[in-house]
């Protein structure tokens, strides 16, 4: 149980276009989902926290108009990178918290590799 | 290319030896700590956790030690196997947060057969 999926697993897009990444909790309801970004040989950096039915909370330095997050249901959150540029190329990882578990427990997705050319 | 300061610390051990991976955390108010394993191109995988009211917790082949005095966390892996090769991250959760995780820098573990 407690599986989180991401789609797509990798994507290549041209500079200036937008890309949507989906994060799904497959066998549990996720009241909260988190989005992280990871550059090569670096750690995971939290971008935003998304609660079902409400606006996402963005970390300092993360542009909310560039990284649009929608958490429309208890099993789906989406991250849209708008007007992507090469510096947005990164590994994007989501995690989800089961409403039935402790506040600290998160399950991570497999990540999405974004390359902007 | 790589930039100075972005090299992950690397620990290289012989198969069968014990491994100790260390982590310094930042927030003295953090009350929950987790170790994750990340293989190349994959998401983090939970290994073991510990609450701030404990100083040691054991799992299968893994032990986590917490020293709150010096804000230090360690992960011990017994009888390290080639399948343990990965990058290991510690993460902390500041008390009172929504459970947001703050990840440490990571250590790359290489196991030589």
């Amino acid at each position: 149980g407690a599986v989180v999926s991401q789609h797509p697993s990798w994507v290549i897009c041209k500079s200036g276009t937008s890309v949507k990444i989906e994060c799904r909790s497959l066998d549990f309801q996720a009241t909260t989902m988190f989005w992280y970004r990871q550059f090569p040989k670096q750690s995971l950096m939290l971008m935003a926290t998304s609660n079902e039915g409400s606006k996402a909370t963005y970390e300092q330095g993360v542009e909310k108009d560039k990284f649009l997050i929608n958490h429309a249901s208890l099993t789906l959150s989406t991250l849209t990178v708008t007007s992507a540029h090469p510096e947005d190329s990164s590994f994007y990882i989501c995690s989800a918290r089961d409403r039935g578990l402790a506040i600290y427990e998160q399950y991570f997705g497999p990540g999405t590799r974004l390359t902007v050319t | 290319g790589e930039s100075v300061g972005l090299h992950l610390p690397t620990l290289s051990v012989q198969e069968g030896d014990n491994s100790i991976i260390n982590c310094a955390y930042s927030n003295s108010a953090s009350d929950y700590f987790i170790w994750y394993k990340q293989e190349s191109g994959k998401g983090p995988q939970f290994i073991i956790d510990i609450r701030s009211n404990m100083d040691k917790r054991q799992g299968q082949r893994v032990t986590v030690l917490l020293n709150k005095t010096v804000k230090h966390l360690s992960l011990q892996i017994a009888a390290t196997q080639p399948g343990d090769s990965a990058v290991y991250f510690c993460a902390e959760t500041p008390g009172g947060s929504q459970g947001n995780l703050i990840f440490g820098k990571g250590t790359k573990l290489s196991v030589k057969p």
Side-chain angles (χ1 to χ4, degrees):
Chain A
V3 177
V4 176
S5 70
Q6 284 184 237
H7 178 79
S9 54
W10 60 270
V11 57
I12 301 173
C13 72
K14 292 187 176 180
S15 188
T17 62
S18 295
V19 174
K20 180 184 285 188
I21 301 170
E22 293 184 348
C23 176
R24 292 181 185 274
S25 57
L26 299 185
D27 50 3
F28 66 97
Q29 292 185 323
T31 47
T32 305
M33 288 183 170
F34 303 86
W35 286 96
Y36 297 84
R37 179 168 53 183
Q38 184 178 33
F39 293 108
K41 297 191 177 183
Q42 293 191 36
S43 189
L44 283 76
M45 296 296 295
L46 180 65
M47 299 175 66
T49 302
S50 165
N51 290 300
E52 185 263 339
S54 61
K55 290 184 178 180
T57 302
Y58 291 81
E59 295 298 302
Q60 192 171 9
V62 178
E63 301 175 57
K64 61 181 181 181
D65 294 329
K66 181 170 182 60
F67 298 99
L68 302 179
I69 292 172
N70 184 286
H71 191 164
S73 77
L74 284 171
T75 59
L76 173 64
S77 177
T78 60
L79 168 68
T80 301
V81 183
T82 63
S83 186
H85 289 98
E87 56 266 31
D88 299 323
S89 298
S90 188
F91 194 49
Y92 292 87
I93 306 170
C94 72
S95 70
R97 190 166 67 217
D98 188 334
R99 70 190 311 175
L101 294 178
I103 192 171
Y104 306 114
E105 297 186 55
Q106 297 180 26
Y107 300 99
F108 283 84
T112 296
R113 174 77 57 194
L114 170 64
T115 302
V116 184
T117 61
Chain B
E2 296 178 341
S3 301
V4 172
L6 293 182
H7 294 273
L8 280 172
T10 299
L11 174 65
S12 186
V13 300
Q14 204 71 37
E15 180 179 0
D17 287 351
N18 297 334
S19 304
I20 299 176
I21 301 171
N22 296 303
C23 174
Y25 64 92
S26 58
N27 192 330
S28 57
S30 290
D31 55 7
Y32 184 64
F33 305 88
I34 310 173
W35 279 101
Y36 288 97
K37 173 186 179 183
Q38 187 181 29
E39 296 174 314
S40 182
K42 296 184 179 180
Q45 175 188 349
F46 173 91
I47 301 174
I48 192 168
D49 59 359
I50 188 169
R51 296 193 183 278
S52 60
N53 60 354
M54 303 171 69
D55 52 23
K56 179 179 180 179
R57 188 159 188 234
Q58 288 183 292
Q60 188 176 15
R61 278 204 309 122
V62 294
T63 300
V64 55
L65 299 177
L66 174 63
N67 185 330
K68 294 183 287 294
T69 302
V70 294
K71 293 192 288 187
H72 184 267
L73 201 63
S74 69
L75 175 69
Q76 300 177 2
I77 304 174
T80 315
Q81 302 167 2
D84 295 327
S85 294
V87 177
Y88 289 81
F89 293 98
C90 67
E92 60 183 299
T93 300
S97 71
Q98 288 193 70
N100 300 357
L101 292 173
I102 300 172
F103 280 80
K105 289 183 169 57
T107 297
K108 182 177 180 179
L109 176 65
S110 293
V111 182
K112 295 176 287 188

